[in-house]
Amino acid sequence: MADYDLSALIPFVCSSLNAATAADLEHWTTRELYAYADDAGSRISMSFGVIAAADIDDGSGNLLRATAGQANYPYPENQTGLVALLFNGAPLKPATVAELEALDDGWEEAAAGAPTHFVQNWLGESLVRIYPPPATNGALTWVLYQEMPDIGATATTAPVPAALADLFAFAMIGGARRRESDAQMPEAADFCDQVGKFYDMILGAYWGGGI
Amino acid sequence: MQLSELQTRVRERLGDPTGAYYDAAGDVIAALNVAQRLFALATLCLETTREFEFTPGVTFYRMLREWADWIAPLRVRLSSDTTAGNDAEFDAQKADNAMFNEQAYAGLVAPVKPKLLPVRLSDLSALDDNWGATTGPPTNYGCLGFDLFFPYPTPVISGTQALITYARSPVALANPKDVPEIPDPDHNALVDGAVALVRLREGGQEFRQAVAGPFAAYLGAIQQRARAVRTRSLAQRLDKLPLELEKTDLSKLMRLRADLVPGRKETAWPITT
């Protein structure tokens, strides 16, 4: 099944902005409206961890793998929080540098073996370091939260339940009515903000505590 | 109540019986659909049970790719049907005898404890150091984010099926004879919600009154239905309950800021001179 197509919301959004169709929008463009939806998508994915994934590939359909002897691995794109890291199906334990130093003074140059731990945000926020480095190649499964895919006039789909999609409609209407223009309507923008907070309550109640 | 009747009621309450102004482009139907979707989401009043066959050796599944109307799982149990193929006779129950055209999956047996208990990944880490690689008939399930579903242990026998009861989104209203899927007593609430949403384009006093009146009634209906669904869900031991709305302050949703809309000063009562 495909992701939800947010272009299905445009007729309702346009009618709320006193336009019969998108072509009749006087003070806004569909590009601007989708930008408001993109803002909303980024906000909820960052705040609630609603986009979870475990089938991360390298962009060519190949699942990510650990290489023998390699300790550092870059985070997959758009990750906002790593939930679990598995090597050949076995979960690695999250650890801090202090814990690994207490475990093994020479942990940074440990000999290859069966990985047991991983450290996040190695070298800034770009890498995950596995300890010890794997002795053999193997499957590396990242279970993580991701940022919502970019939403725009040429990418109108979002991986959200259909019942939740109207959150983006209210974000579009609220953003459009909040911007200074001859059609500015702060009471409508305020209402849309409050409806957005109602959706936030739903997000937190249903999907916010998965870990 | 059919869509045509709902549409007529909304138009009448907007003072536009023919829909020439407020419903020239199907705006009322769009507003009714928005109201129904939000109602179903806030109350989880729509449920469905479907079979889901696990792929041997696969741990994680994206349920929105399987079922577009997925919202959240309510109950998961293993199916006792160990056969492949369709029944030779019309039979709504799956727990029947294997017919001549049904083949049994090799090694698949009916589960002793079919109900899968919900679990979080942190619980799995405490339960099993090797949870990602452990295989066998599932005993638990989890769901991360919107739709990342995982059974534990990972099933490896072909034909392992789960009966998943999940909260779902409603089907969109389109044709005049379509009937909203939410319970019949709540159809009037859709009218109230749609009136306020259609007034959104006007702002000012009209919108303020629509929010304070019809939209407040719509939220009240949501609260009432959510309470009923919550009570039923607790009795049925479902794994997820509707949003707690009893103690939630929704007043901000029904009251616009006084500085935004020129409001009428309320007259004190009794009037004193």
PDB file of all heavy atoms in Angstrom, chain A residues 32 51 83 95 115 118 122 139 147 168 179 182 202:
ATOM      1  N   GLU A  32       3.877  26.808  -0.917  1.00  0.00           N
ATOM      2  CA  GLU A  32       3.909  27.320   0.456  1.00  0.00           C
ATOM      3  C   GLU A  32       3.073  26.435   1.382  1.00  0.00           C
ATOM      4  O   GLU A  32       3.477  26.146   2.510  1.00  0.00           O
ATOM      5  CB  GLU A  32       3.388  28.753   0.482  1.00  0.00           C
ATOM      6  CG  GLU A  32       3.374  29.370   1.878  1.00  0.00           C
ATOM      7  CD  GLU A  32       2.778  30.759   1.893  1.00  0.00           C
ATOM      8  OE1 GLU A  32       2.492  31.302   0.808  1.00  0.00           O
ATOM      9  OE2 GLU A  32       2.584  31.297   3.002  1.00  0.00           O
ATOM     10  N   ILE A  51       7.717   7.785  13.231  1.00  0.00           N
ATOM     11  CA  ILE A  51       8.204   7.086  12.042  1.00  0.00           C
ATOM     12  C   ILE A  51       9.304   6.149  12.504  1.00  0.00           C
ATOM     13  O   ILE A  51      10.423   6.554  12.770  1.00  0.00           O
ATOM     14  CB  ILE A  51       8.748   8.067  10.993  1.00  0.00           C
ATOM     15  CG1 ILE A  51       7.733   9.171  10.718  1.00  0.00           C
ATOM     16  CG2 ILE A  51       9.138   7.340   9.725  1.00  0.00           C
ATOM     17  CD1 ILE A  51       6.469   8.693  10.064  1.00  0.00           C
ATOM     18  N   VAL A  83      16.855   3.119  18.502  1.00  0.00           N
ATOM     19  CA  VAL A  83      16.169   2.339  19.527  1.00  0.00           C
ATOM     20  C   VAL A  83      16.962   1.079  19.851  1.00  0.00           C
ATOM     21  O   VAL A  83      17.133   0.718  21.007  1.00  0.00           O
ATOM     22  CB  VAL A  83      14.746   1.968  19.069  1.00  0.00           C
ATOM     23  CG1 VAL A  83      14.047   1.128  20.123  1.00  0.00           C
ATOM     24  CG2 VAL A  83      13.942   3.218  18.760  1.00  0.00           C
ATOM     25  N   ALA A  95      25.977   1.482  25.445  1.00  0.00           N
ATOM     26  CA  ALA A  95      26.939   1.759  26.510  1.00  0.00           C
ATOM     27  C   ALA A  95      27.509   3.150  26.325  1.00  0.00           C
ATOM     28  O   ALA A  95      27.475   3.717  25.230  1.00  0.00           O
ATOM     29  CB  ALA A  95      28.069   0.714  26.489  1.00  0.00           C
ATOM     30  N   PRO A 115      30.457  -8.819  18.534  1.00  0.00           N
ATOM     31  CA  PRO A 115      30.068  -7.526  19.124  1.00  0.00           C
ATOM     32  C   PRO A 115      29.086  -7.714  20.273  1.00  0.00           C
ATOM     33  O   PRO A 115      28.194  -8.571  20.220  1.00  0.00           O
ATOM     34  CB  PRO A 115      29.417  -6.791  17.946  1.00  0.00           C
ATOM     35  CG  PRO A 115      29.954  -7.443  16.720  1.00  0.00           C
ATOM     36  CD  PRO A 115      30.124  -8.880  17.100  1.00  0.00           C
ATOM     37  N   PHE A 118      27.510  -1.106  21.872  1.00  0.00           N
ATOM     38  CA  PHE A 118      27.708  -0.017  20.917  1.00  0.00           C
ATOM     39  C   PHE A 118      27.641   1.302  21.647  1.00  0.00           C
ATOM     40  O   PHE A 118      26.961   1.435  22.672  1.00  0.00           O
ATOM     41  CB  PHE A 118      26.691  -0.065  19.773  1.00  0.00           C
ATOM     42  CG  PHE A 118      25.275   0.280  20.167  1.00  0.00           C
ATOM     43  CD1 PHE A 118      24.796   1.587  20.042  1.00  0.00           C
ATOM     44  CD2 PHE A 118      24.418  -0.698  20.640  1.00  0.00           C
ATOM     45  CE1 PHE A 118      23.495   1.901  20.392  1.00  0.00           C
ATOM     46  CE2 PHE A 118      23.111  -0.389  20.987  1.00  0.00           C
ATOM     47  CZ  PHE A 118      22.643   0.913  20.867  1.00  0.00           C
ATOM     48  N   TRP A 122      29.505   8.825  18.183  1.00  0.00           N
ATOM     49  CA  TRP A 122      30.975   8.775  18.141  1.00  0.00           C
ATOM     50  C   TRP A 122      31.457   9.779  17.106  1.00  0.00           C
ATOM     51  O   TRP A 122      30.899   9.879  16.033  1.00  0.00           O
ATOM     52  CB  TRP A 122      31.414   7.355  17.771  1.00  0.00           C
ATOM     53  CG  TRP A 122      32.882   7.105  17.877  1.00  0.00           C
ATOM     54  CD1 TRP A 122      33.764   6.933  16.854  1.00  0.00           C
ATOM     55  CD2 TRP A 122      33.650   7.013  19.081  1.00  0.00           C
ATOM     56  NE1 TRP A 122      35.026   6.737  17.337  1.00  0.00           N
ATOM     57  CE2 TRP A 122      34.987   6.770  18.722  1.00  0.00           C
ATOM     58  CE3 TRP A 122      33.341   7.099  20.434  1.00  0.00           C
ATOM     59  CZ2 TRP A 122      35.997   6.620  19.650  1.00  0.00           C
ATOM     60  CZ3 TRP A 122      34.350   6.942  21.364  1.00  0.00           C
ATOM     61  CH2 TRP A 122      35.662   6.715  20.971  1.00  0.00           C
ATOM     62  N   ALA A 139      24.806  -9.216   9.264  1.00  0.00           N
ATOM     63  CA  ALA A 139      23.692  -8.276   9.093  1.00  0.00           C
ATOM     64  C   ALA A 139      23.663  -7.289  10.246  1.00  0.00           C
ATOM     65  O   ALA A 139      23.817  -7.671  11.404  1.00  0.00           O
ATOM     66  CB  ALA A 139      22.376  -9.046   9.033  1.00  0.00           C
ATOM     67  N   GLU A 147      13.065  10.921  10.695  1.00  0.00           N
ATOM     68  CA  GLU A 147      12.342  12.142  10.406  1.00  0.00           C
ATOM     69  C   GLU A 147      11.352  11.857   9.283  1.00  0.00           C
ATOM     70  O   GLU A 147      11.586  11.000   8.430  1.00  0.00           O
ATOM     71  CB  GLU A 147      13.325  13.232   9.972  1.00  0.00           C
ATOM     72  CG  GLU A 147      12.714  14.607   9.872  1.00  0.00           C
ATOM     73  CD  GLU A 147      13.731  15.655   9.430  1.00  0.00           C
ATOM     74  OE1 GLU A 147      14.916  15.304   9.287  1.00  0.00           O
ATOM     75  OE2 GLU A 147      13.328  16.811   9.238  1.00  0.00           O
ATOM     76  N   PHE A 168      -2.166  17.646   8.841  1.00  0.00           N
ATOM     77  CA  PHE A 168      -1.421  18.440   7.862  1.00  0.00           C
ATOM     78  C   PHE A 168      -2.310  19.513   7.241  1.00  0.00           C
ATOM     79  O   PHE A 168      -1.857  20.617   6.934  1.00  0.00           O
ATOM     80  CB  PHE A 168      -0.853  17.524   6.774  1.00  0.00           C
ATOM     81  CG  PHE A 168       0.166  16.540   7.283  1.00  0.00           C
ATOM     82  CD1 PHE A 168      -0.204  15.264   7.631  1.00  0.00           C
ATOM     83  CD2 PHE A 168       1.494  16.907   7.417  1.00  0.00           C
ATOM     84  CE1 PHE A 168       0.726  14.356   8.125  1.00  0.00           C
ATOM     85  CE2 PHE A 168       2.433  16.008   7.903  1.00  0.00           C
ATOM     86  CZ  PHE A 168       2.049  14.730   8.253  1.00  0.00           C
ATOM     87  N   ARG A 179       0.260  34.025   8.277  1.00  0.00           N
ATOM     88  CA  ARG A 179       1.211  34.886   7.564  1.00  0.00           C
ATOM     89  C   ARG A 179       0.575  36.235   7.257  1.00  0.00           C
ATOM     90  O   ARG A 179      -0.612  36.317   6.946  1.00  0.00           O
ATOM     91  CB  ARG A 179       1.653  34.203   6.270  1.00  0.00           C
ATOM     92  CG  ARG A 179       2.627  35.030   5.464  1.00  0.00           C
ATOM     93  CD  ARG A 179       3.256  34.203   4.364  1.00  0.00           C
ATOM     94  NE  ARG A 179       2.363  33.895   3.275  1.00  0.00           N
ATOM     95  CZ  ARG A 179       1.965  34.754   2.337  1.00  0.00           C
ATOM     96  NH1 ARG A 179       2.364  36.021   2.394  1.00  0.00           N
ATOM     97  NH2 ARG A 179       1.179  34.368   1.346  1.00  0.00           N
ATOM     98  N   ASP A 182      -3.190  40.237   2.978  1.00  0.00           N
ATOM     99  CA  ASP A 182      -4.531  40.816   3.037  1.00  0.00           C
ATOM    100  C   ASP A 182      -5.551  39.802   3.538  1.00  0.00           C
ATOM    101  O   ASP A 182      -6.655  40.186   3.917  1.00  0.00           O
ATOM    102  CB  ASP A 182      -4.939  41.318   1.640  1.00  0.00           C
ATOM    103  CG  ASP A 182      -4.160  42.557   1.241  1.00  0.00           C
ATOM    104  OD1 ASP A 182      -3.561  43.189   2.132  1.00  0.00           O
ATOM    105  OD2 ASP A 182      -4.147  42.888   0.030  1.00  0.00           O
ATOM    106  N   ILE A 202      -3.289  13.199  20.868  1.00  0.00           N
ATOM    107  CA  ILE A 202      -3.567  11.868  20.309  1.00  0.00           C
ATOM    108  C   ILE A 202      -2.250  11.164  19.971  1.00  0.00           C
ATOM    109  O   ILE A 202      -2.070   9.974  20.277  1.00  0.00           O
ATOM    110  CB  ILE A 202      -4.456  11.995  19.065  1.00  0.00           C
ATOM    111  CG1 ILE A 202      -5.837  12.523  19.463  1.00  0.00           C
ATOM    112  CG2 ILE A 202      -4.551  10.682  18.326  1.00  0.00           C
ATOM    113  CD1 ILE A 202      -6.734  12.856  18.294  1.00  0.00           C
TER     114      ILE A 202
END
